[in-house]
Amino acid sequence: MTGRPAPGGFAADTGHTTPGGGHVGEAAHAHHAPHAGYAVLVGGEPVPRERVEAVLAAVPARDREVLPEGRARAERQRRRWATQVVVADELARRACAARGLAPPPEDSPARVLAVSGTEVADLGSIIAVALAHSPATRALLAALEAEGTVPEEAVRDYYDRNPDRFLTREALRRGVDPYDGAGPGDFVPYGDVRDEVAGELRRAGGRQAFFDWLDRARAGVAYAPGHEHPGDPSHPDHEHRH
């Protein structure tokens, strides 16, 4: 991806701005010492470690290890996790610049506290935090959703395969089994829910397109020591956790 980063994200002391989130991929490594001052190279350009520090400062640790060695390992992994958030944001900024998208300015770092458990379960913690804090990530996801098309057959197929989702309130009150003995009158008509179903499928397609884009975009990222992906087996702390 080409183009200059767009404004927005976590603010760091250097004046640089910050992050986004991600899925997992193969970690490429930069053979440079940590004191070089950057966390990763994106397109050959250094991304300063201050942006990772800004994520760490904004997102409280979720686990509290008792033993010192456990705490040290958890902090190392948290730094790697935060690096992935920054990588996703940086890549999204560049993608937005290449598309001519202008993400809105970030409104509040406190939004991290609004990231729900459902969002983390659906998206993984990296992408959930990225979407909460990175205007570029949100703008790119919205663009991918808008570009998606959902065939009418797919909408109808979803409606037909998930009758439990479309029972009327009266049918629910009576305890109707949607798969056994339910009549046509027990279901909300297709025409009443068609647009809602199409919207859900479009959002799901946009998220998948975002995941696929991120996996491709991260292929050329090089990581400084200590900033590798948390699941990269080349470091002793590795774990596959989003």
Side-chain angles (χ1 to χ4, degrees), residues 13-184:
D13 291 340
T14 58
H16 293 282
T17 50
T18 48
H23 216 37
V24 242
E26 213 45 45
H29 298 281
H31 299 292
H32 301 271
H35 64 262
Y38 66 86
V40 296
L41 295 174
V42 177
E45 298 181 7
V47 176
R49 286 186 295 158
E50 285 84 357
R51 285 174 60 175
V52 176
E53 298 299 330
V55 176
L56 291 172
V59 183
R62 61 181 179 180
D63 297 323
R64 295 294 179 186
E65 296 286 347
V66 177
L67 299 176
E69 58 269 27
R71 286 198 300 272
R73 177 183 181 278
E75 278 305 301
R76 288 193 299 269
Q77 286 294 74
R78 202 163 79 88
R79 182 172 304 281
R80 294 179 177 111
W81 172 87
T83 300
Q84 289 300 307
V85 174
V86 170
V87 164
D89 174 62
E90 178 66 22
L91 292 170
R93 294 183 194 189
R94 292 168 182 244
C96 285
R99 287 166 165 259
L101 297 175
E106 182 56 271
D107 46 9
S108 170
R111 286 185 60 172
V112 68
L113 300 178
V115 177
S116 71
T118 300
E119 289 172 316
V120 172
D122 290 346
L123 300 168
S125 64
I126 293 170
I127 290 185
V129 170
L131 290 173
H133 291 280
S134 167
T137 303
R138 293 195 297 274
L140 180 60
L141 177 59
L144 292 172
E145 287 181 2
E147 290 170 2
T149 57
V150 182
E152 186 64 31
E153 316 84 76
V155 181
R156 182 74 209 202
D157 181 62
Y158 185 90
Y159 176 85
D160 291 339
R161 287 188 298 103
N162 297 276
D164 55 308
R165 291 201 56 193
F166 305 109
L167 286 170
T168 65
R169 290 184 179 179
E170 174 61 21
L172 288 170
R173 188 187 66 78
R174 291 187 285 111
V176 171
D177 183 345
Y179 299 100
D180 185 14

